[in-house]
Amino acid sequence: MAVLVTGGAGYIGSHTCLELLQAGCDIVVIDNFMNSSVEVVHRIRKLSGENFQFYNMNLLDRDHLEQIFQKNKIEACIHFAGVKAVGESVRFPLLYYKQNLFSTINLCRVMQKYGVKNLIFSSSATVYGSPEKSPITEDHVLHATNPYGRTKWMIEELLKDLSLSDQDWSITILRYFNPIGAHESGEIGEDPKGMPNNLMPFVTRVAAGEYPMLEIFGDQYPTKDGTCIRDYIHVVDLACGHLKALEKTISARGVDIYNLGTGQGYSVLELVNTFEAVTGMEIPYQISKPRAGDVAICYADVTKAERELGWRAVRGIEEMCRDSWNWQSKNPIGYCSEVKTL
Ligand code: WQD
């Protein structure tokens, strides 16, 4: 029996595929390469020493998706596939609603048709909007503040309704905080197309000399040094959290929701200073005006995942910085190496 991984060539998806393979799982991977590259598939195979079925397809193509369920004995699905840039979602909301919602509905309908009712959904701390307090627990009020966050919140509600309609479904919703870092090999990592939206890929590209300096979006927030605080989590810890969630999903019923963070907040300046100390690279920066939609403080309460999944993050901020830089140093142009056939 195999685990279907949608978006498995993406940043978190690729790291999760590697952990699944190394844990002895059979996987079937789907990706449309909107935010990734075929090179990732080659590297997962090389790192794991394992082969696996890969399909370059879009989840909006229901006929093709059905063929995959006909050809493979699938036991569970980890659903990463989707578009995820906050700023882009404000500019192109219809793209985000169509891609994220319709692909999830297609997936659930085909899963239901083939009797596959174990699902792990990739959600985000963005559903908490501007949190009233941190650490944030899973029962915090939900209040997405952008179309991307609203698609995640709507899909969570859709999945709860699906579970109410059919008690056989076992659905685990994982709310990620701020994933950074890369596999220790430096073979897979975060490779945003174009100018990065997120902090760490921008920092590593400043360190690599691609950009002259980092803009820090505001230093007048009510925090220790005036810059925003976030819960950065190593992407490998995040991947390992999915394996624990899979174990639970296969044996449970109903819907469970978990924060996947470290429970520790770091400010932007703390992250930059740690990166400089760990790598020896200088990160010139200038303070600019606050970014619309940013919240001052956001970090997770992770006690539920520890108690019910037997999981917690083990990699610290230094390791996150070291592994991010290792990936950047080894892949100065990301995955844009020569495109190979599958
Ligand atoms: C972190 C901090 C910025 C870039 C986003 C999404 C969220 C999730 C994770 C998908 C903030 C500051 C950033 C820069 C900066 N993605 N910053 N200069 O905004 O917490 O969360 O990514 O699920 O949905 O909202 O992460 O990395 O963009 O920003 O000063 O060039 O770094 O202001 O305080 P964020 P981020």
Side-chain angles (χ1 to χ4, degrees), residues 86 124 126 148 178 198-199 215-217 228 230 291 294:
V86 170
S124 166
T126 201
Y148 161 72
N178 289 64
N198 296 133
L199 179 62
E215 270 192 277
I216 294 183
F217 300 138
C228 294
R230 293 289 183 276
R291 181 173 66 174
D294 272 345

Side-chain angles (χ1 to χ4, degrees), residues 326-339:
N326 185 41
W327 152 255
Q328 172 68 44
S329 309
K330 290 187 172 181
N331 304 272
I333 57 168
Y335 291 111
C336 293
S337 48
E338 69 287 350
V339 178

Side-chain angles (χ1 to χ4, degrees), residues 20 32 52 61 76 93 124 142 179 184 205 208 235-236 238 292 304:
L20 286 164
N32 65 2
F52 53 87
D61 181 348
S124 166
L142 303 186
E184 61 185 2
R205 290 185 186 184
V235 66
V236 175
L238 198 57
K304 186 180 177 191

Side-chain angles (χ1 to χ4, degrees), residues 173-281:
I173 293 169
L174 301 178
R175 292 174 180 160
Y176 310 152
F177 279 70
N178 289 64
I180 62 172
H183 186 259
E184 61 185 2
S185 65
E187 286 293 308
I188 53 176
E190 186 173 15
D191 184 23
K193 298 200 170 176
M195 182 172 280
N197 297 297
N198 296 133
L199 179 62
M200 183 55 95
F202 213 102
V203 167
T204 57
R205 290 185 186 184
V206 168
E210 191 171 329
Y211 301 118
M213 72 168 60
L214 169 72
E215 270 192 277
I216 294 183
F217 300 138
D219 67 347
Q220 299 301 312
Y221 287 95
T223 63
K224 61 187 89 166
D225 59 24
T227 63
C228 294
I229 290 174
R230 293 289 183 276
D231 186 331
Y232 298 100
I233 176 170
H234 198 294
V235 66
V236 175
D237 277 331
L238 198 57
C240 294
H242 287 74
L243 269 67
K244 288 292 188 182
L246 184 61
E247 283 174 28
K248 183 168 193 303
T249 306
I250 288 173
S251 60
R253 285 293 173 273
V255 178
D256 283 308
I257 300 174
Y258 299 98
N259 289 333
L260 293 192
T262 65
Q264 168 80 45
Y266 287 95
S267 73
V268 174
L269 278 174
E270 283 176 321
L271 186 94
V272 170
N273 294 337
T274 303
F275 185 91
E276 289 184 321
V278 162
T279 64
M281 303 305 293

Side-chain angles (χ1 to χ4, degrees), residues 39-324:
E39 178 61 20
V40 183
V41 178
H42 297 300
R43 297 205 187 176
I44 297 171
R45 285 178 172 145
K46 182 179 132 189
L47 278 171
S48 64
E50 301 290 343
N51 203 355
F52 53 87
Q53 285 296 330
F54 174 79
Y55 298 90
N56 176 6
M57 58 89 68
N58 192 317
L59 285 173
L60 298 179
D61 181 348
R62 177 164 172 173
D63 291 341
H64 195 166
L65 185 58
E66 286 219 31
Q67 289 168 23
I68 292 170
F69 276 77
Q70 288 160 5
K71 290 176 184 169
N72 299 276
K73 284 191 72 57
I74 290 165
E75 174 184 25
C77 174
I78 304 179
H79 179 34
F80 292 105
V83 283
K84 65 158 197 103
V86 170
E88 186 184 57
S89 78
V90 174
R91 293 194 305 275
F92 305 110
L94 296 181
L95 165 73
Y96 272 68
Y97 286 112
K98 178 183 179 194
Q99 194 62 39
N100 289 358
L101 289 171
F102 287 15
S103 60
T104 304
I105 292 167
N106 257 2
L107 175 67
C108 290
R109 292 177 71 177
V110 173
M111 286 177 72
Q112 196 156 43
K113 179 174 180 179
Y114 288 87
V116 181
K117 298 185 178 177
N118 297 316
L119 174 64
I120 294 174
F121 173 61
S122 163
S123 190
S124 166
T126 201
V127 300
Y128 294 121
S130 307
E132 290 152 6
K133 65 177 180 59
S134 280
I136 305 168
T137 53
E138 287 84 351
D139 60 359
H140 186 287
V141 66
L142 303 186
H143 175 65
T145 58
N146 57 73
Y148 161 72
R150 274 188 281 279
T151 67
K152 291 297 185 180
W153 169 67
M154 289 177 183
I155 293 168
E156 289 196 9
E157 295 304 308
L158 176 160
L159 294 175
K160 290 175 194 170
D161 287 337
L162 177 61
S163 171
L164 288 173
S165 74
D166 177 350
Q167 310 298 322
D168 288 342
W169 279 90
S170 177
I171 297 168
T172 303
I173 293 169
L174 301 178
R175 292 174 180 160
Y176 310 152
F177 279 70
N178 289 64
I180 62 172
H183 186 259
E184 61 185 2
S185 65
E187 286 293 308
I188 53 176
E190 186 173 15
D191 184 23
K193 298 200 170 176
M195 182 172 280
N197 297 297
N198 296 133
L199 179 62
M200 183 55 95
F202 213 102
V203 167
T204 57
R205 290 185 186 184
V206 168
E210 191 171 329
Y211 301 118
M213 72 168 60
L214 169 72
E215 270 192 277
I216 294 183
F217 300 138
D219 67 347
Q220 299 301 312
Y221 287 95
T223 63
K224 61 187 89 166
D225 59 24
T227 63
C228 294
I229 290 174
R230 293 289 183 276
D231 186 331
Y232 298 100
I233 176 170
H234 198 294
V235 66
V236 175
D237 277 331
L238 198 57
C240 294
H242 287 74
L243 269 67
K244 288 292 188 182
L246 184 61
E247 283 174 28
K248 183 168 193 303
T249 306
I250 288 173
S251 60
R253 285 293 173 273
V255 178
D256 283 308
I257 300 174
Y258 299 98
N259 289 333
L260 293 192
T262 65
Q264 168 80 45
Y266 287 95
S267 73
V268 174
L269 278 174
E270 283 176 321
L271 186 94
V272 170
N273 294 337
T274 303
F275 185 91
E276 289 184 321
V278 162
T279 64
M281 303 305 293
E282 191 189 353
I283 304 297
Y285 67 83
Q286 67 180 21
I287 304 293
S288 61
K289 65 183 186 349
R291 181 173 66 174
D294 272 345
V295 298
I297 301 172
C298 176
Y299 60 91
D301 179 308
V302 293
T303 50
K304 186 180 177 191
E306 186 172 2
R307 184 177 64 249
E308 296 186 12
L309 298 180
W311 169 90
R312 73 173 298 125
V314 296
R315 293 165 179 83
I317 195 77
E318 295 81 4
E319 194 168 350
M320 296 180 216
C321 290
R322 184 169 56 245
D323 291 341
S324 291

